[in-house]
Amino acid sequence: MLIDMDDELVVDKDDPALKSPFIVEILRQMRAIDSYGIWDQVGAHEIIDPFIMTKERKRAVPIIGDPDEELMARIKAWYNALSASIEARTGLMAVPIVNITHEGFGRALIAVGKLIVSDKTLRDVHRFGFKSLEAMESEANKIIDKAAALVEAHRDVAKL
């Protein structure tokens, strides 16, 4: 879903959550995929804003719809940021594997060595987003904590 920049932004430019480690990482991932430098002059709150799906925004998304390239980029940035955070926490390389059909269904895995530390079935990806930055960070922290615990419990498999 393309968020029209004429619409009101839901993330305030002074939101303290923009400075949290995971949000900083996802912003880094989003800027990394900007090969033309379009986001160089854009604030962090404007880049992260499309990740927030308010009830009004969800209602505006058609029930049936194919995910667009911007949405796919956000999903990939989300899993790349999770992987980078898991890698930073465990010291072992984490790799995201995302497979989504043109209809918006699929699966996302994060592997550390031969160990799968995160496995998510994806449905309705055209409605991908979070209620707030705090909800986004909370979800990320749960996934990262669980993945780090799996790596520590099975470090021998994670090192393969």
Side-chain angles (χ1 to χ4, degrees), residues 1-159:
M1 177 182 125
L2 199 64
I3 303 294
D4 186 359
M5 292 312 280
D6 293 334
D7 289 346
E8 184 175 324
L9 297 176
V10 295
V11 177
D12 184 55
K13 69 178 182 177
D14 298 321
D15 192 322
L18 290 170
K19 300 208 183 314
S20 71
F22 183 77
I23 302 297
V24 168
E25 180 59 35
I26 204 161
L27 286 165
R28 190 173 73 80
Q29 295 294 329
M30 288 297 291
R31 288 189 188 276
I33 61 174
D34 179 25
S35 57
Y36 296 107
I38 295 168
W39 291 333
D40 288 351
Q41 306 304 317
V42 176
H45 69 293
E46 293 172 287
I47 295 171
I48 204 76
D49 189 77
F51 282 90
I52 307 306
M53 285 297 268
T54 62
K55 288 180 182 179
E56 295 79 22
R57 285 182 174 178
K58 275 193 178 181
R59 265 187 242 126
V61 177
I63 293 174
I64 299 172
D66 294 346
D68 62 24
E69 290 303 314
E70 287 189 29
L71 174 62
M72 296 300 288
R74 286 195 303 273
I75 292 168
K76 289 176 184 175
W78 164 256
Y79 284 102
N80 286 342
L82 287 171
S83 297
S85 299
I86 292 165
E87 188 171 330
R89 173 92 62 92
T90 63
L92 297 172
M93 185 169 56
V95 179
I97 304 154
V98 180
N99 182 19
I100 301 173
T101 68
H102 70 281
E103 295 170 325
F105 298 93
R107 189 170 209 137
L109 307 169
I110 298 176
V112 177
K114 301 285 184 196
L115 182 66
I116 302 298
V117 296
S118 177
D119 179 7
K120 175 84 171 161
T121 300
L122 303 173
R123 291 186 207 103
D124 293 334
V125 297
H126 55 289
R127 293 172 182 245
F128 174 78
F130 305 89
K131 290 180 182 178
S132 65
L133 284 179
E134 292 76 16
M136 174 194 256
E137 187 175 11
S138 175
E139 180 67 20
N141 288 335
K142 281 189 254 181
I143 293 168
I144 294 163
D145 290 344
K146 184 178 175 185
L150 278 169
V151 168
E152 291 311 313
H154 305 284
R155 199 157 186 87
D156 52 334
V157 178
K159 285 185 168 184

